């Protein structure tokens, strides 16, 4: 049995996991938001950056990608992703929709409200101003946003929140 992983942020444009298939997938009732602090990738504990988490929102949909991990690679992939997403994210099972396979039961990493690095909502301008001055061991926070925006555009995926923040940063 393989494992399906749903990515909605950096996992879309830098999966770095040994997948054997990948499809566009939609999480209905969820939206991605820059509401999570980053102490370890796009910021530091003293000056956290802002990265994405999934937030439940009625009427919204989040388009991302699901990746199929072969059984032989599941435990190493989970160890890798647990480490990569360790700053407040938790594993969660989510049912996502694909054109090719219908509903897929996928594992995703969500940073829930009130985790140690949670930042929460702010205006688009405040979020962009925060991202513009942030960077960490994985690079600048602006690159994190623009890499995702480029990947979504390449896939013809519309996301108003991402587009708004990217426009303010460009
Ligand atoms: C994800 O990409 O699915 C999780 C959030 C991130 O690492 O950007």
């Amino acid at each position: 049995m393989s494992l399906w992983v749903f990515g909605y942020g950096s996992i879309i444009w830098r999966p770095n996991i040994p997948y054997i298939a990948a499809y566009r997938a939609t999480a209905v009732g969820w939206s991605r938001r820059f509401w999570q602090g980053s102490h370890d990738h796009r910021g530091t504990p003293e000056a956290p950056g802002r990265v994405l988490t999934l937030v439940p929102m009625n009427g919204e949909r989040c388009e991302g990608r699901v990746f199929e991990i072969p059984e032989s690679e599941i435990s190493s992939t989970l160890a890798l992703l647990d480490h990569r997403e360790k700053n407040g994210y938790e594993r969660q099972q989510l049912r996502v929709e694909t054109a090719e396979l219908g509903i897929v039961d996928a594992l995703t990493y969500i940073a829930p409200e009130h985790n140690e690095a949670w930042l929460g909502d702010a205006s688009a301008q405040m979020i962009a101003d925060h991202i513009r001055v942030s960077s960490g061991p994985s690079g600048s926070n602006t690159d994190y946003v623009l890499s995702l925006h480029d990947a979504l555009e390449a896939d013809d995926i519309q996301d108003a929140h991402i587009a708004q923040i990217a426009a303010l940063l460009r």
Side-chain angles (χ1 to χ4, degrees):
M1 275 268 291
S2 54
L3 170 77
W4 289 93
V5 173
F6 176 70
Y8 57 88
S10 69
I11 293 176
I12 293 180
W13 54 270
R14 193 173 62 84
N16 267 3
I17 47 177
Y19 61 92
I20 48 176
Y23 302 103
R24 189 164 154 170
T26 306
V28 176
W30 295 86
S31 190
R32 74 193 122 212
R33 289 285 184 275
F34 293 102
W35 291 1
Q36 174 66 3
S38 175
H39 299 181
D40 57 347
H41 285 297
R42 304 292 169 165
T44 62
E46 299 72 39
R50 268 191 183 262
V51 290
L52 290 166
T53 185
L54 272 188
V55 181
M57 285 192 193
N58 278 339
E60 297 277 337
R61 35 200 295 128
C62 174
E63 307 234 31
R65 280 182 95 66
V66 272
F67 299 88
E68 185 178 16
I69 312 298
E71 187 166 11
S72 59
E73 305 280 357
I74 292 176
S75 60
S76 59
T77 300
L78 288 177
L80 190 146
L81 288 175
D82 284 355
H83 179 74
R84 171 171 166 174
E85 306 294 333
K86 65 184 182 310
N87 192 197
Y89 292 82
E90 292 172 5
R91 292 184 193 172
Q92 193 164 319
Q93 285 298 128
L94 211 61
R95 307 190 78 194
V96 295
E97 295 178 4
T98 66
E100 294 82 359
L101 305 172
I103 301 278
V104 172
D105 218 351
L107 179 84
T108 193
Y109 284 80
I110 294 179
E113 195 172 351
H114 304 312
N115 75 78
E116 40 160 359
W118 180 258
L119 293 174
D121 197 7
S123 70
Q125 189 66 58
M126 282 173 70
I127 289 175
D129 289 346
H130 182 160
I131 287 172
R132 189 177 292 111
V133 297
S134 299
S135 65
S138 296
S140 85
N141 208 168
T142 298
D143 279 354
Y144 172 89
V145 179
L146 299 185
S147 300
L148 176 67
H149 187 237
D150 289 347
L152 295 181
E153 286 212 314
D155 259 358
D156 215 11
I157 295 174
Q158 317 296 328
D159 186 311
H161 182 62
I162 304 297
Q164 188 181 22
I165 306 290
L168 288 166
L169 288 169
R170 285 201 200 268

